[in-house]
């Protein structure tokens, strides 16, 4: 599981880098376009779609690793509870997260199948949508596995992070 989340963490970093390049490049191209009153057009066609694809890859790819390392939480209440109760609440939370993530994965698989059958394409670039939806389904599946494992294993984020 750690190897898979290392791979998805790498994909999240690449998605974030791509998002940075797309946005920064488009801002610079817009500045050149405005400065030349439209004479020089370096604007990237489909930049909004590319940003959306990069953002979806980044977000979904980061979730499984975040679940393994410990999700952000507010400890103001949990830290005041007895250890046994706190760990029980954490296990319950991860079980709920695992179930919701599994449901999300199932819905995304269904959506990807619909996109394949209907040949859905992105509006500007004409790219098929299903690979991005299928990736989101895979990442949601990994999140479900990580969360369910956390609900059964050590419940402290520090214990999981090792």
């Amino acid at each position: 599981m750690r190897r898979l989340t290392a791979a998805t963490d790498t994909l999240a970093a690449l998605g974030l880098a791509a998002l940075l390049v797309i946005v920064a490049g488009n801002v610079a191209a817009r500045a050149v376009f405005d400065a030349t009153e439209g004479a020089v057009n370096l604007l990237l066609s489909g930049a909004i779609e590319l940003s959306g694809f990069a953002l979806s890859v980044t977000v979904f790819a980061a979730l499984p690793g975040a679940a393994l390392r410990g999700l952000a939480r507010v400890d103001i209440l949990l830290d005041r509870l007895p250890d046994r109760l706190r760990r029980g609440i954490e296990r319950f939370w991860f079980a709920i997260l695992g179930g919701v993530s599994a449901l999300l994965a199932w819905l995304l698989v269904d959506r990807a199948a619909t996109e394949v059958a209907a040949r859905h394409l992105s509006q500007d670039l004409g790219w098929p949508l299903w690979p991005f939806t299928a990736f989101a389904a895979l990442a949601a599946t990994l999140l479900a596995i990580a969360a369910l494992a956390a609900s059964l294993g050590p419940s402290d984020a520090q214990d999981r992070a090792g």
Side-chain angles (χ1 to χ4, degrees):
M1 187 66 188
R2 291 203 187 276
R3 278 190 185 162
L4 286 173
T5 57
T8 59
D9 286 345
T10 300
L11 279 174
L14 291 172
L16 189 59
L19 184 60
L20 173 71
V21 168
I22 293 164
V23 171
N26 218 38
V27 167
R30 173 61 68 183
V32 169
F33 183 81
D34 290 345
T36 62
E37 296 180 359
V40 177
N41 184 358
L42 302 174
L43 293 169
L44 180 61
S45 178
I48 292 174
E49 282 184 3
L50 289 172
S51 296
F53 292 147
L55 183 61
S56 69
V57 167
T58 300
V59 169
F60 276 99
L63 288 174
L68 279 184
R69 287 186 295 279
L71 299 169
R73 65 183 194 183
V74 178
D75 293 334
I76 194 165
L77 176 64
L78 284 181
D79 282 349
R80 296 173 196 264
L81 296 175
D83 280 347
R84 187 175 171 131
L85 180 58
R86 179 183 48 81
R87 288 176 188 221
I89 290 170
E90 288 177 347
R91 288 175 194 263
F92 178 73
W93 157 249
F94 277 109
I96 295 295
L97 177 61
V100 169
S101 300
L103 176 63
L104 177 62
W106 178 67
L107 292 170
L108 286 167
V109 165
D110 184 58
R111 177 66 187 180
T114 299
E115 289 172 350
V116 167
R119 296 186 177 166
H120 288 173
L121 302 175
S122 66
Q123 183 174 339
D124 294 334
L125 299 172
W127 288 7
L129 296 176
W130 72 264
F132 298 97
T133 307
F135 174 75
L138 173 64
T141 301
L142 293 175
L143 174 60
I145 292 168
L148 291 172
S151 75
L152 300 173
S155 59
D156 227 355
Q158 292 80 17
D159 293 343
R160 283 191 306 281

